[in-house]
Amino acid sequence: MREQSQPIVIRNGRVIDPSQGFDAIADVVVIGSAVVSIESPGTTELSDGWTEFNAKGKIVAPGFIDLHTHLRTPGQEWKEDPKTASDAAVRGGFTTICAMPNTYPAQDNASVVDALLQRCASEADVRVRLIGAITKAREGHELAPMHELADAGVIGFSDDGDPVMSAHLMRQALAYSSDLDLPVINHAEDRGLVSEWDMNEGPVATHLGLKGIPNSAESMMIARDIVLARMTNGRLHIPHVSTAESVEIIRRAKSDSINVTAEVTPHHLALTQEWVYGEYGEVPNTLTPNAYATNAKMAPPLRAEADRQALIDGLSDGTIDTIGTDHAPHADTDKICTFTEAANGIIGLETALALTVGIAGIGIETVIERFTVGPSAILNDATIGTLRPGMPADITIIDPNAEWQVTSATLGSKSRNTPLLDANVKPRVDATFVNGTKIWDANENGAADA
Ligand SMILES: [Zn+2]
């Protein structure tokens, strides 16, 4: 992480900080690596050596936290590394990312975690937290040393990409999670129902002749895990919720005071199964060469419109606590192939605001809340996702009206696998500060208006 230089006053922005219930035009004063105060506009005089950032017409928010990033390091550095993940993060307004353990080797013991944390500290400009594996090598047979991993600093446990199919192992993991006060994050996909699939089960899959997976493969696993969380008093966090039935089950569990939190991705809030036609969500009269769009393939798959609406409802009523990007970089060779052969997942850090605010039309206040206090509560870390005085100056500045084009030049990731490639989107992240230092500035870096 870089060292910060001069004191800075971020002037005249609309400061939205859900951690303090603050939403007003104000100046944010940063000295060293910390936020010092939020002042009425124009009341702070510049001293010698101070700089200012004109945020008039912009939104000033705490830096975003992503609970669901795939770092691809170690083992697949041709897809992403800590530096490029960090570049992608700051372009999307993220100042903390939490990396999933499906690396090679997996993050299933302290020495692997130590090595990756050290590498991230020297290569990444953003804060990187690691999620440890639930089972050894993520194979689902034997628990990983969860206490050892917790001592090494992991912020939760997951075999993401693969579900823990054994209820017995999941029970044990949840029992340990309550001792450790760290969440177990189980990829909810019951492979006993369907083991191989291409996309959501429904009319689009039938039309395209692709193998479908029904909603119940997700909701059955979530229901099982909630029952186990109740039995063990464990901490369960459900990643990338994608169906209406799942939202309903989680809503009921929360009303029963079970210790469960939930996440939704930007793409499940914004896109549906029709994106597999490759026409930006339109249903073409006849299939075009864009059909079987592998950049619309992910796990869980893009679902039906009714599911998307239920996810938005779940986000607004608080059933869903946080938005996690599931940033999943893949090389061209993983996506320029048949739909069945293609890898699951899309990059998501840079386009998180475009999908949630721009395309799904969700209010920016809600989105900021679920990218700041939502995840910081799950991380049990009140020092991030906030602009309270004394806290690290992780700050995101958003131009709500600026458009930008998603291109190789504007993406920070090493990978290009997004269905929004070449699209003009908004809003735009204008600047991102980490620990008081400006890491990203769209105007200096040539991300001009589209
Ligand atoms: Zn997953």
Side-chain angles (χ1 to χ4, degrees), residues 163 165 189-195 217 220-221:
M165 283 300 297
E189 179 186 327
D190 188 335
R191 294 200 175 145
L193 186 63
V194 179
S195 59
M220 279 163 50
M221 184 66 98

Side-chain angles (χ1 to χ4, degrees), residues 60 267 399:
V60 180
H267 44 275
D399 187 332

Side-chain angles (χ1 to χ4, degrees), residues 4-11 28-30 44-54 433 436 438:
Q4 102 81 34
S5 44
Q6 301 148 309
I8 184 162
V9 182
I10 300 168
R11 292 238 193 247
V28 178
V29 182
V30 173
T44 307
E45 300 283 322
L46 293 190
S47 305
D48 272 357
W50 287 40
T51 57
E52 62 182 347
F53 185 99
N54 179 8
F433 292 74
K438 190 169 67 177

Side-chain angles (χ1 to χ4, degrees), residues 68 160-161 187 239-240 299-300 326:
H68 198 142
D160 188 60
H187 177 105
H240 47 50
D326 198 0

Side-chain angles (χ1 to χ4, degrees), residues 91-92 266 270-271 275 280 347-361 398-407 410-411 418-430 442 447-450:
R91 287 166 192 239
L271 314 179
W275 280 68
Y280 293 99
I347 55 170
L349 288 165
E350 297 101 323
T351 53
L353 279 175
L355 286 165
T356 53
V357 177
I359 296 175
I398 301 155
D399 187 332
N401 300 312
E403 278 201 355
W404 61 284
Q405 191 179 21
V406 182
T407 65
T410 55
L411 293 168
T418 165
L420 297 181
L421 202 61
D422 298 329
N424 290 331
V425 296
K426 66 178 198 178
R428 186 182 73 180
V429 173
D430 255 30
D449 290 17

Side-chain angles (χ1 to χ4, degrees), residues 98-361:
C98 301
M100 280 293 177
N102 57 336
T103 53
Y104 301 93
Q107 303 297 307
D108 66 356
N109 66 75
S111 63
V112 175
V113 167
D114 287 343
L116 183 54
L117 282 174
Q118 276 181 35
R119 186 165 169 191
C120 291
S122 71
E123 295 177 23
D125 291 317
V126 298
R127 298 169 203 282
V128 183
R129 303 280 183 265
L130 300 186
I131 297 163
I134 300 172
T135 67
K136 286 186 181 168
R138 301 175 49 260
E139 286 174 344
H141 301 310
E142 200 182 339
L143 275 192
M146 292 172 65
H147 277 88
E148 174 187 311
L149 287 164
D151 288 344
V154 303
I155 54 85
F157 302 92
S158 182
D159 281 356
D160 188 60
D162 292 303
V164 177
M165 283 300 297
S166 159
H168 172 67
L169 278 178
M170 191 62 186
R171 174 189 182 175
Q172 289 182 311
L174 283 164
Y176 281 120
S177 78
S178 71
D179 292 345
L180 296 168
D181 197 21
L182 293 174
V184 173
I185 308 165
N186 188 22
H187 177 105
E189 179 186 327
D190 188 335
R191 294 200 175 145
L193 186 63
V194 179
S195 59
E196 287 184 2
W197 54 273
D198 299 310
M199 65 173 294
N200 186 46
E201 184 174 295
V204 182
T206 304
H207 184 198
L208 293 174
L210 293 171
K211 262 191 220 166
I213 185 169
N215 286 7
S216 30
E218 175 176 294
S219 43
M220 279 163 50
M221 184 66 98
I222 291 176
R224 181 202 78 173
D225 289 346
I226 284 172
V227 169
L228 292 172
R230 191 208 300 258
M231 177 170 78
T232 55
N233 205 22
R235 268 193 75 186
L236 177 66
H237 176 67
I238 300 167
H240 47 50
V241 173
S242 72
T243 81
E245 194 177 37
S246 302
V247 173
E248 197 44 55
I249 292 169
I250 296 162
R251 187 177 284 128
R252 162 132 183 234
K254 286 193 160 187
S255 75
D256 290 347
S257 302
I258 296 170
N259 197 352
V260 55
T261 52
E263 160 197 296
V264 62
T265 71
H267 44 275
H268 289 106
L269 288 168
L271 314 179
T272 58
Q273 58 193 347
E274 284 75 18
W275 280 68
V276 178
Y277 285 125
E279 301 296 333
Y280 293 99
E282 298 298 316
V283 180
N285 291 326
T286 48
L287 295 186
T288 72
N290 299 326
Y292 301 90
T294 54
N295 279 334
K297 183 179 180 186
M298 61 238 0
L302 296 174
R303 303 285 190 179
E305 176 61 16
D307 294 302
R308 191 182 77 84
Q309 289 297 338
L311 295 170
I312 291 176
D313 291 347
L315 192 73
S316 21
D317 74 10
T319 301
I320 296 175
D321 304 81
T322 179
I323 305 169
T325 68
D326 198 0
H327 178 79
H330 286 297
D332 288 349
T333 47
D334 299 309
K335 288 293 193 179
I336 303 175
C337 53
T338 69
F339 198 85
T340 299
E341 288 168 319
N344 282 316
I346 60 172
I347 55 170
L349 288 165
E350 297 101 323
T351 53
L353 279 175
L355 286 165
T356 53
V357 177
I359 296 175

